[in-house]
Amino acid sequence: MSERTGSGAVTNAGVVPRVPKRVAAVILNSLKGGVVPRIGLPYITVGRETEIRALLTDLSLIADGGASFRFLVGRYGSGKSFLLQTIRTHAMGEGFVVADADLSPERRLQGGQGQGLATYRELIRNLSTKTRPEGGALGLVLDRWVASTNQPMGTGVIGWRDSFGTDFDESSVEGTGAKSTGSNPVGSSAEQVLRSQLAPLEELVHGFEFTRMLRIYRDASIEGDDERKSCALKWFRGEYRTKTEAKAELGTSTIIGDDDWYDYVKLFAAFLTGAGYKGLLVLIDELVNLFKIPNAITRQYNYEKILTMYNDTLQGKARHLGIIMGGTPQSIEDRRRGMFSYEALRSRLTQGRFATEGMRDMLAPIIHLHPLTYEELLVLIEKLQQIHAGYFGYAPRLTTEHLVQFLKIEFGRVGADTHLTPREVIRDFIELLDIAYQNPNAPVEGLLGSVGGTAGGGGAAGDGGTSVSGATDATTASASASSGTGERSPTEFAEFTI
């Protein structure tokens, strides 16, 4: 059933998508505030097919036991964080565990005052799965693993063996009596199966203490000792500040610290495959905070940590682990303070000679985000109008012509072709929708005309009160008048008049 609005626009009420009000509120409030919503992304995702396809290829590699490392590079507001959250949502739906964190002055990759450990804690706090997408899924993952160890003997050992390659032979585990036959022998005890499962983890750095904490958590779960379970979770989260405290509560003098937190991330990636997941995807945003570190030596230490992660993933030292980092072009390519100031990284990440603007290599470690096209932005603001109308319960007032006029106004700014970002377009459009909703009697043309008088026109702010179309007509008229006489009109040089 179509209905006619007060502005004369004919809309179809059935077009409004059925977005839950809570999700719609998060989407609109987040986008108007300039941040990326953590839920509801499928409702507003447009474009980025090439970039998404490349990252989905990485997910397939991680599920097969490999590892990947990528950098997403783009200006502020170009869609880096949005793309990271889109991949996060997709990865959780495909059976991966995702951990994400934003770097800040208090959270770095390496630091002498707990900054590296703070990043690890943030990653573990934001550990997310399909059934716990908001984060805090560490306890859920561990409980799922405990439940799998109590199941009848079946595929437990196989999952661990495949995670570390076919070289691992269960019969080599002392005392298990298991044979490498592709299934667990009937009658083996739960302890024997547990030992055969944890043996591959013990081969990794810090593997002995990690598996010991897994045993403590499992025993506490079976015995119903919630206090000891909480202590084990506290250890996994890296929240023990001193070895003395950990020794008193858990009987171990090893704690997760600034220097070795990345080793435990690799251990988690290996452990998760045995708990029934496909792998671990780590998302780290705001690399610009490393660029802002004033001390050159501290910056170099952080870039060395990135180099370690890069080498581990691409050389096959890490398994079932994917790392994606997001940063601005300056934070990556600046030769004085950016990542390219570290020669070992610059030589690995510099673009080759055959890649051009029209021929991008999407398999390279660095993915540069290009601006969204006009058509993609038009689809995006159409979706936003439908969500806004559905949330506030009104029929959409803006026609396609209004949306096109809005984009003309946005791209009529000086330098818009290269500097206008989706964040600015989305923020302005939601503001327009809010004003139109709060002033139902105001014609949409009048609202767009007032915006065009200040932002459109193709000149500097305050240069004139013409819209994009008015500026275009004036320019055309001036050009035709001057072409008839062979002389340039003085008005063409008005902006240079003193």
Side-chain angles (χ1 to χ4, degrees):
M1 175 68 68
S2 63
E3 49 188 46
R4 184 172 298 275
T5 63
S7 61
V10 178
T11 60
N12 190 338
V15 174
V16 180
R18 296 184 178 275
V19 183
K21 279 209 166 187
R22 181 183 69 88
V23 177
V26 171
I27 291 175
L28 295 173
N29 292 334
S30 299
L31 293 179
K32 189 172 183 180
V35 298
V36 180
R38 290 179 70 90
I39 59 176
L41 290 180
Y43 295 109
I44 54 175
T45 301
V46 296
R48 304 294 185 209
E49 290 88 356
T50 307
E51 293 87 348
I52 291 176
R53 193 181 307 117
L55 296 176
L56 293 184
T57 303
D58 291 348
L59 290 183
S60 300
L61 173 64
I62 298 168
D64 292 337
S68 68
F69 197 111
R70 295 279 194 155
F71 293 95
L72 295 182
V73 181
R75 294 179 56 249
Y76 290 113
S78 62
K80 299 185 303 297
S81 300
F82 191 94
L83 183 55
L84 285 174
Q85 292 298 323
T86 302
I87 293 299
R88 172 182 178 271
T89 302
H90 180 83
M92 288 189 296
E94 292 296 316
F96 290 86
V97 177
V98 183
D100 64 296
D102 291 348
L103 298 184
S104 68
E106 295 78 26
R107 290 195 294 267
R108 300 172 182 171
L109 302 179
Q110 185 77 29
Q113 299 178 346
Q115 294 97 331
L117 182 58
T119 301
Y120 171 83
R121 289 172 179 168
E122 182 72 6
L123 289 171
I124 298 301
R125 187 179 71 84
N126 292 332
L127 207 67
S128 305
T129 63
K130 183 178 181 179
T131 55
R132 191 70 65 84
E134 68 277 4
L138 177 59
L140 178 69
V141 170
L142 291 174
D143 289 340
R144 178 174 176 176
W145 170 73
V146 171
S148 69
T149 60
N150 293 331
Q151 294 295 323
M153 317 282 286
T155 59
V157 177
I158 298 175
W160 289 99
R161 182 192 63 196
D162 292 344
S163 171
F164 290 86
T166 55
D167 294 336
F168 176 69
D169 185 358
E170 295 93 276
S171 61
S172 64
V173 181
E174 182 180 357
T176 62
K179 297 184 181 297
S180 181
T181 59
S183 62
N184 294 323
V186 178
S188 296
S189 67
E191 177 62 23
Q192 290 174 334
V193 176
L194 185 64
R195 291 172 64 183
S196 63
Q197 287 185 353
L198 299 182
L201 288 178
E202 295 176 351
E203 299 174 4
L204 302 179
V205 179
H206 302 299
F208 282 102
E209 286 301 321
F210 189 85
T211 55
R212 182 183 177 192
M213 290 301 119
L214 288 176
R215 287 175 175 275
I216 290 176
Y217 185 90
R218 179 179 180 273
D219 293 342
S221 298
I222 295 174
E223 297 168 3
D225 190 346
D226 292 338
E227 182 177 354
R228 195 159 178 80
K229 276 181 60 177
S230 298
C231 292
L233 279 175
K234 183 179 178 181
W235 188 91
F236 283 120
R237 291 182 182 132
E239 295 176 355
Y240 279 105
R241 298 187 178 274
T242 63
K243 297 180 179 180
T244 304
E245 184 182 2
K247 183 75 172 179
E249 295 185 0
L250 291 173
T252 179
S253 58
T254 302
I255 60 175
I256 302 173
D258 266 335
D259 298 329
D260 55 8
W261 65 267
Y262 171 63
D263 294 326
Y264 289 95
V265 170
K266 291 192 290 185
L267 277 166
F268 265 112
F271 161 73
L272 290 171
T273 57
Y277 299 95
K278 292 184 178 180
L280 175 64
L281 182 63
V282 177
L283 308 177
I284 298 178
D285 203 0
E286 305 296 346
L287 280 181
V288 70
N289 283 287
L290 301 184
F291 171 84
K292 293 178 180 178
I293 296 176
N295 188 284
I297 296 177
T298 305
R299 280 200 310 273
Q300 294 298 309
Y301 283 152
N302 280 269
Y303 294 151
E304 284 179 2
K305 179 67 77 171
I306 293 179
L307 179 63
T308 299
M309 298 178 178
Y310 183 86
N311 289 342
D312 279 355
T313 52
L314 297 192
Q315 290 178 346
K317 296 179 182 178
R319 298 180 64 85
H320 293 283
L321 175 64
I323 301 176
I324 305 177
M325 296 186 176
T328 61
Q330 186 182 30
S331 66
I332 301 293
E333 299 167 358
D334 188 271
R335 295 290 189 94
R336 189 171 63 90
R337 300 184 62 168
M339 279 203 324
F340 280 12
S341 66
Y342 192 66
E343 182 62 25
L345 281 173
R346 188 195 66 81
S347 62
R348 287 165 168 80
L349 301 177
T350 302
Q351 182 174 282
R353 292 179 293 174
F354 293 96
T356 61
E357 187 67 21
M359 294 286 185
R360 293 191 294 163
D361 180 14
M362 301 308 295
L363 298 179
I366 295 182
I367 297 178
H368 291 272
L369 299 186
H370 286 197
L372 293 177
T373 64
Y374 302 132
E375 293 78 9
E376 290 169 344
L377 284 173
L378 180 61
V379 173
L380 175 59
I381 61 177
E382 284 177 343
K383 290 184 176 184
L384 290 177
Q385 179 181 212
Q386 297 293 337
I387 294 174
H388 193 277
Y391 177 68
F392 288 103
Y394 67 91
R397 297 178 57 193
L398 276 67
T399 64
T400 302
E401 290 74 16
H402 292 148
L403 301 181
V404 172
Q405 185 181 356
F406 168 80
L407 288 180
K408 285 183 178 179
I409 294 172
E410 289 293 309
F411 283 92
R413 307 178 189 179
V414 173
D417 289 340
T418 56
H419 290 80
L420 187 65
T421 62
R423 176 181 293 166
E424 296 168 342
V425 175
I426 291 171
R427 189 176 60 235
D428 289 347
F429 185 70
I430 294 180
E431 182 183 47
L432 173 64
L433 292 176
D434 288 342
I435 293 175
Y437 169 68
Q438 297 173 69
N439 300 273
N441 295 326
V444 177
E445 292 80 1
L447 295 175
L448 291 173
S450 64
V451 174
T454 57
D463 280 355
T466 59
S467 64
V468 176
S469 59
T472 305
D473 295 340
T475 304
T476 305
S478 175
S480 60
S482 62
S483 62
T485 60
E487 298 180 357
R488 293 178 179 268
S489 171
T491 58
E492 296 183 40
F493 304 95
E495 58 180 311
F496 300 106
T497 302
I498 300 177

